[in-house]
């Protein structure tokens, strides 16, 4: 794992603490029984030995989840590919993304393993604006999201993607997305559980139907509605 680049991603806690945090999360995922809720609260026992800033972070609700080591993505070389069933496949830079119409919202975040964070302030781009750049074909009915971590992916129907409060987020709580939370950009869809929110996104592929993502091939529902919508 590389050391943080403070200019892009200042974190109030050290690398060693962070490694402990990540190792704890990974261990639970690798060694846990096939009841995937096992990751719940795995970080809490660590809280007592953490320096105060990180302990505060945990109490605030966020857990950092990653099925891989936390990738380091350089904003200046990052590209977001949009391809598949589109008229015009594109590759967007971070500057391209920031130049698109900006959307903001305050929404709650829920992980299916039982933790939530209320009133998260997100900023980013609505998928309708984002995907329009590539001109989806009429045969496109779904969207695949792929992480630069090389392991994680998930999908939504196009209708779900176009929900009014779904977005590709590049800011959280007024600051550029931090590396643990998926910098430079992550999927946010508040009406569904957090596992739909692919972090370190680097590819969006328009498809004729959705597919099972990382956790869905391991037992989670493809439709991750929090309020049991159809
Ligand atoms: N690339 C990637 N994205 C991911 C995950 C992951 O392991 N890898 N975990 C998902 C799950 S299960 C949740 S609850 C949220 C957690 O977001 P956070 O780590 O910012 O708290 O990220 C989601 N996106
Ligand atoms: Mo989750």
């Amino acid at each position: 794992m590389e050391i943080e680049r403070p200019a892009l991603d200042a974190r109030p806690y050290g690398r060693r603490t962070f490694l402990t945090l990540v190792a704890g999360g990974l261990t639970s995922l690798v060694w846990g029984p096939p009841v995937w809720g096992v990751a719940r609260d795995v970080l809490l026992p660590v809280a007592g030995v953490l320096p105060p800033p990180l302990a505060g972070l945990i109490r605030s609700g966020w857990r950092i989840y990653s099925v891989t080591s936390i990738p380091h993505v350089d904003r200046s070389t990052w590209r977001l590919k949009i391809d598949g069933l589109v008229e015009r496949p594109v590759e967007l830079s971070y500057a391209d993304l920031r130049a698109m119409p900006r959307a903001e919202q305050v929404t709650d975040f829920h992980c299916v393993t039982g933790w939530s964070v209320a009133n998260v302030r997100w900023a980013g781009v609505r998928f309708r604006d984002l995907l329009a750049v590539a001109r989806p074909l009429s045969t496109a009915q779904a969207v695949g999201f792929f992480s630069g971590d090389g392991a994680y992916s998930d999908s939504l129907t196009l209708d779900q993607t176009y929900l009014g409060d779904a977005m590709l987020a590049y800011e959280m709580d007024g600051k550029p997305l931090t590396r643990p939370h998926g910098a430079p950009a992550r999927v946010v869809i508040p009406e569904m559980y957090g596992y739909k929110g692919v972090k370190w996104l680097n590819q969006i592929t328009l498809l004729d139907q959705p597919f099972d993502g990382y956790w869905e091939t391991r037992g989670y529902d493809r439709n991750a509605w929090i309020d049991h919508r159809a």
Side-chain angles (χ1 to χ4, degrees):
M1 176 164 319
E2 296 173 53
I3 298 172
E4 287 298 308
R5 293 160 27 112
L8 286 181
D9 193 3
R11 271 203 325 262
Y13 47 95
R15 177 167 177 265
R16 208 163 122 242
T17 305
F18 186 62
L19 285 173
T20 308
L21 181 73
V22 172
L26 283 177
T27 302
S28 79
L29 290 174
V30 172
W31 290 347
V35 176
W36 301 103
V38 68
R40 181 211 300 223
D41 289 342
V42 63
L43 300 176
L44 286 183
V46 183
V49 300
L50 295 177
L54 187 52
L57 186 75
I58 288 179
R59 268 200 304 278
S60 82
W62 286 111
R63 274 70 158 175
I64 303 301
Y65 275 7
S66 181
V67 300
T68 65
S69 58
I70 307 286
H72 192 292
V73 184
D74 187 336
R75 280 180 177 81
S76 66
T77 54
W78 175 80
R79 294 290 181 275
L80 175 64
K81 216 183 275 185
I82 307 180
D83 60 9
L85 299 174
V86 296
E87 259 177 55
R88 192 175 79 106
V90 292
E91 275 195 23
L92 304 176
S93 68
Y94 187 67
D96 293 334
L97 190 67
R98 296 295 305 226
M100 300 184 74
R102 175 187 170 96
E104 297 181 2
Q105 66 191 48
V106 176
T107 47
D108 295 347
F109 184 94
H110 302 281
C111 172
V112 70
T113 63
W115 54 272
S116 299
V117 183
N119 301 319
V120 186
R121 195 150 49 93
W122 300 105
V125 178
R126 296 288 172 219
F127 288 110
R128 199 177 283 283
D129 294 325
L130 182 65
L131 299 185
V133 177
R135 294 195 215 107
L137 300 172
S138 58
T139 47
Q141 297 297 319
V143 181
F145 298 100
F146 300 90
S147 174
D149 67 10
Y152 202 90
S153 65
D154 212 324
S155 71
L156 295 170
T157 67
L158 203 54
D159 287 347
Q160 293 164 357
T161 305
Y162 288 162
L163 285 172
D165 57 357
M167 63 159 61
L168 181 61
Y170 50 66
E171 280 181 20
M172 181 203 280
D173 293 331
K175 281 172 257 144
L177 208 57
T178 60
R179 185 177 155 212
H181 284 301
R186 74 181 290 167
V187 175
V188 169
I189 175 165
E191 294 183 51
M192 292 193 180
Y193 285 112
Y195 63 87
K196 284 292 181 179
V198 176
K199 302 193 291 184
W200 311 291
L201 188 78
N202 72 354
Q203 187 177 351
I204 298 180
T205 303
L206 281 288
L207 304 163
D208 58 359
Q209 56 181 15
F211 61 86
D212 282 339
Y214 185 91
W215 286 120
E216 293 149 15
T217 61
R218 292 159 175 83
Y220 284 176
D221 286 341
R222 193 185 281 176
N223 290 307
W225 298 118
I226 290 163
D227 287 327
H228 302 287
R229 192 202 287 223

